[in-house]
Amino acid sequence: MLAAVGLYGSTAAVAAAPLTVAQAIATQNGSSATVRGYVVGQPTATTTVIRSGYPNDYALALADSASTTSTSSMVYVQITSSFRAAWGMRSNPSLLGRQIDVTGSLSAYFSHAGLTSTTAFAFAGTTPPPTTTAPPSNCLAYYAAACGKSGAALKSALNGIIRSQTRLTYAQVWEALKVTDQDPDNSANVILLYSGTSRSKTANGGDQNDWNREHVWPQSHGPFDTNTQPGTDLHHLRPEDVTVNAVRGNLDFDNGGNQTHPEAPGNVFDADSWEPRDAVKGDVARMLFYMAVRYESGDQLNLELNNSTSNGSQPYMGKLSVLKQWNLQDPPDAFEQRRNQVIFDSYQRNRNPFIDNYRWADSIWP
């Protein structure tokens, strides 16, 4: 069996023939080894292995024969998060009966002979592929149900996680923004999203030179109102100068424009789009990614991203291809990360996953 030394830890481990399941059961000493066996189901308890209706992607059972039914002749394999999408039984029920090679630690799992902390999976006699699907180190426990997934499955999993949230009233948003967007250099002020300037927390309202509540996903793109969510979701509400907010209006986002606003240097706009200053391009993109994942069918409305800048009152926002560029151009910074944490800790109890892992956007919208 061939494999890169980095996958297995030593040249000796690469050269050694895979253990049989019987040998693995007899060698439960914590050492690293590769075990070859047939997938015979998913363990759910010390003496229980099921062959259908798999509840998750966390474990599988191996035996020396595909027809084995005695759990005493099986080794239970822990599927670490890097491999669940490709090797978990719920996602890949067709693995049943296939012969595979698994590398890990010969240690008890489910109080049963096991193979834990797995580092490589492959069909028997083939080279394990590089672990390019491994989740990043910032794949927090909060995202356990999403880690390792991609595409539509990732979007669905993230929706299932972040839709559990505490709802705020529109009046409560005023006070929340004074905390989430506090100027790190002046605790009496907030930072305005497009303008980038620092303004007194008490200067909130609807008069000239006040700041108000900017809906980065405009209310008319739905449409939705300011009843609890999505119109009061802090993950897309930011402080902004009243006049700047009015000029941005309900424009979609795109590169380019031939007009500027004196109170928002670095932003340009035209008849159908707004380009924010460079320092918050990624912030804008990630707020829109969040809204498109958080609000799906079954909510008040189903929000989606597209490549148009003429979405009018439809529940769409653009321009997706540009937002993806901005996301990579301007990764999450300390201000954005702190904001995400404050919303989670003190207000909504949910997170923006694209701040925690901004590369998930390219997986959902390739």
Side-chain angles (χ1 to χ4, degrees), residues 1-202:
M1 177 177 175
L2 301 175
V5 172
L7 286 176
Y8 288 84
S10 71
T11 304
V14 173
L19 300 180
T20 65
V21 170
Q23 290 171 326
I25 293 172
T27 317
Q28 293 287 294
N29 58 9
S31 62
S32 178
T34 299
V35 178
R36 177 170 293 178
Y38 292 90
V39 179
V40 291
Q42 178 176 2
T44 57
T46 303
T47 59
T48 304
V49 171
I50 61 175
R51 294 175 62 84
S52 63
Y54 309 112
N56 53 53
D57 290 326
Y58 295 171
L60 57 79
L62 295 180
D64 285 326
S65 169
S67 60
T68 297
T69 57
S70 173
T71 58
S72 63
S73 299
M74 301 176 186
V75 66
Y76 292 178
V77 177
Q78 177 188 38
I79 305 175
T80 48
S81 59
S82 304
F83 302 99
R84 288 172 188 161
W87 297 94
M89 296 301 291
R90 183 175 65 179
S91 297
N92 306 275
S94 62
L95 287 172
L96 188 69
R98 300 291 300 274
Q99 189 180 41
I100 67 173
D101 294 334
V102 186
T103 302
S105 174
L106 295 166
S107 304
Y109 189 47
F110 281 91
S111 301
H112 183 283
L115 192 65
T116 62
S117 302
T118 46
T119 58
F121 285 70
F123 290 110
T126 65
T127 302
T131 57
T132 54
T133 58
S137 59
N138 64 346
C139 197
L140 306 174
Y142 176 75
Y143 298 113
C147 295
K149 289 183 169 62
S150 61
L154 174 60
K155 186 181 181 188
S156 178
L158 290 175
N159 172 264
I161 294 166
I162 66 176
R163 66 184 297 110
S164 176
Q165 70 183 89
T166 300
R167 303 183 184 190
L168 278 66
T169 67
Y170 203 40
Q172 289 173 322
V173 168
W174 281 124
E175 297 308 311
L177 291 178
K178 295 175 183 179
V179 180
T180 60
D181 291 73
Q182 178 175 293
D183 183 344
D185 297 321
N186 183 349
S187 61
N189 287 10
V190 293
I191 298 292
L192 306 186
L193 175 63
Y194 305 126
S195 307
T197 55
S198 180
R199 191 164 299 179
S200 171
K201 289 179 177 180
T202 62

Side-chain angles (χ1 to χ4, degrees), residues 252-253 272 305-312 316-320:
D252 290 273
F253 292 96
D272 66 356
L305 298 170
N306 63 18
N307 260 333
S308 172
T309 55
S310 302
N311 284 306
Y316 307 120
M317 277 295 293
K319 191 173 186 180
L320 176 57

Side-chain angles (χ1 to χ4, degrees), residues 238 276-289 322-333 336 352 354-355 358:
R238 300 291 290 267
R277 59 193 177 98
D278 288 346
V280 295
K281 280 183 164 70
D283 305 51
V284 166
R286 287 180 285 275
M287 285 185 276
L288 298 182
F289 296 156
V322 172
L323 295 172
K324 289 173 60 181
Q325 294 170 7
W326 292 353
N327 179 49
L328 298 177
Q329 172 186 330
D330 172 37
D333 60 16
E336 195 178 359
N352 181 336
F354 302 99
I355 296 174
Y358 71 102

Side-chain angles (χ1 to χ4, degrees), residues 231-243:
T232 66
D233 194 317
L234 288 173
H235 283 297
H236 84 117
L237 289 166
R238 300 291 290 267
E240 186 48 69
D241 176 83
V242 167
T243 57

Side-chain angles (χ1 to χ4, degrees), residues 207-361:
D207 296 330
Q208 188 174 8
N209 295 322
D210 283 346
W211 62 267
N212 61 4
R213 297 158 291 192
E214 153 72 340
H215 290 79
V216 178
W217 190 298
Q219 296 177 57
S220 62
H221 287 240
F224 53 85
D225 55 26
T226 55
N227 293 326
T228 55
Q229 77 178 93
T232 66
D233 194 317
L234 288 173
H235 283 297
H236 84 117
L237 289 166
R238 300 291 290 267
E240 186 48 69
D241 176 83
V242 167
T243 57
V244 175
N245 193 355
V247 172
R248 187 262 156 154
N250 67 350
L251 295 174
D252 290 273
F253 292 96
D254 195 5
N255 286 319
N258 54 16
Q259 300 181 67
T260 60
H261 192 289
E263 294 188 71
N267 299 257
V268 294
F269 63 97
D270 54 25
D272 66 356
S273 68
W274 179 276
E275 180 184 350
R277 59 193 177 98
D278 288 346
V280 295
K281 280 183 164 70
D283 305 51
V284 166
R286 287 180 285 275
M287 285 185 276
L288 298 182
F289 296 156
Y290 165 87
M291 293 293 282
V293 169
R294 168 60 187 86
Y295 296 98
E296 296 279 13
S297 298
D299 295 309
Q300 294 178 18
L301 68 171
N302 183 8
L303 302 180
E304 296 292 347
L305 298 170
N306 63 18
N307 260 333
S308 172
T309 55
S310 302
N311 284 306
S313 61
Q314 298 299 308
Y316 307 120
M317 277 295 293
K319 191 173 186 180
L320 176 57
S321 58
V322 172
L323 295 172
K324 289 173 60 181
Q325 294 170 7
W326 292 353
N327 179 49
L328 298 177
Q329 172 186 330
D330 172 37
D333 60 16
F335 184 90
E336 195 178 359
Q337 291 166 341
R338 174 194 172 275
R339 188 176 196 277
N340 194 30
Q341 191 64 45
V342 170
I343 292 173
F344 177 77
D345 288 339
S346 302
Y347 296 101
Q348 295 186 180
R349 301 300 300 169
N350 73 339
R351 306 181 68 85
N352 181 336
F354 302 99
I355 296 174
D356 292 323
N357 183 354
Y358 71 102
R359 294 191 179 275
W360 266 335

